[in-house]
Amino acid sequence: MTTTPESSKNESGYFIKDSGPELTRLLERERFFSRILGGPLPEHADQARFVASFQHVLDVACGSGGWVLELAQRYPHLEVVGIDIDPRAVRYATTQARTGTLDNASFRVMDATEPLDFPNDFFDLVNARFLVSIGAAAMPGTIRELFRITRPGGFVRLTETEDYSITTGPAFEKLSAMFLQAEKLTGFSFSPTGRTSGQTVVLGRLLREVGCQNIQRKPTVIEWSAGTDEHEPMIQHIGMWAKMIQPFLIRAGVTTQEESDQLYREADIEMLSDDFCALMNLLTVWGQKPEP
């Protein structure tokens, strides 16, 4: 197991420390992914039918709460709960729920790497996306907790990306490689080499190990090359992300402030070029808790 350098740790276990700008980025990411993917549960052709018999749904590491709010708005019969380690994110999401008079949406501060304050066999669906932020060592225990609080017949749903994007930009690719290597060095990655994050390839195994059955997968590819509708929104999203991971890269020892600043400027130019090409690959994996 990789030991996390002391300089790379932070109190939340997340590699981005400043949750103010990060909260803004997460909010924009939620809006973007919801639009492009076609709703909160795009792997189901009839989303309304899938959740028709459900009562309780949980979103783990909910961030700005966008997934919870959209699901609660679409399906008023659901009680949708979001948890996040960041109190500011929870306050923001709670305010959004009140502003939208969504009485069936609620949020709580909770650490996904610790035992969750919910009873056994309670939720019909437990959703978690981008859990890379909790680290590879914590993932198996967290998935066990998600399984524990899912009712028999209910579902655990996980979504991850293997690397942030594949592009034709040399500077962008170098920044991405640095990020993946920093993840490896600080214990966030499942990859043996740091060439990828190793997240998507272990999702099925993690669900099988806790006892899930009927495991299914849905890959999604987002092209955000120059000339596509997704190009400009992704530039804004990626640009904020690339800037905010700089302290993490420096703490991990994979770059310097000067080098990362230069790469950031070059990547920004690359993304705006007419011949820039880019793909983001997502994988959603879900499994069902066996009934007695």
Side-chain angles (χ1 to χ4, degrees), residues 2 174-189 191-197 248-249 252-254:
T2 302
K174 189 169 184 179
L175 275 172
S176 294
M178 286 178 174
F179 177 64
L180 292 168
Q181 193 60 39
E183 281 191 320
K184 174 62 181 173
L185 291 171
T186 55
F188 287 103
S189 172
S191 170
T193 63
R195 185 176 64 86
T196 68
S197 70
F248 172 63
L249 302 183
V254 299

Side-chain angles (χ1 to χ4, degrees), residues 2-54:
T2 302
T3 301
T4 303
E6 192 66 31
S7 60
S8 299
K9 295 179 181 178
N10 79 63
E11 59 277 8
S12 70
Y14 188 39
F15 44 76
I16 296 177
K17 283 189 173 183
D18 188 350
S19 65
E22 172 66 350
L23 186 56
T24 301
R25 183 186 72 87
L26 292 175
L27 176 61
E28 292 303 318
R29 184 183 73 179
E30 291 288 351
R31 291 170 176 168
F32 172 74
F33 281 145
S34 178
R35 176 183 63 80
I36 196 171
L37 297 178
L41 299 165
E43 65 274 14
H44 299 282
D46 191 340
Q47 298 180 42
R49 182 178 180 182
F50 176 66
V51 302
S53 64
F54 292 176

Side-chain angles (χ1 to χ4, degrees), residues 239-260:
M240 293 177 66
W241 170 80
K243 198 67 177 175
M244 285 186 294
I245 64 169
Q246 282 183 311
F248 172 63
L249 302 183
I250 294 167
R251 293 196 307 271
V254 299
T255 188
T256 64
Q257 184 70 59
E258 182 180 10
E259 182 186 30
S260 62

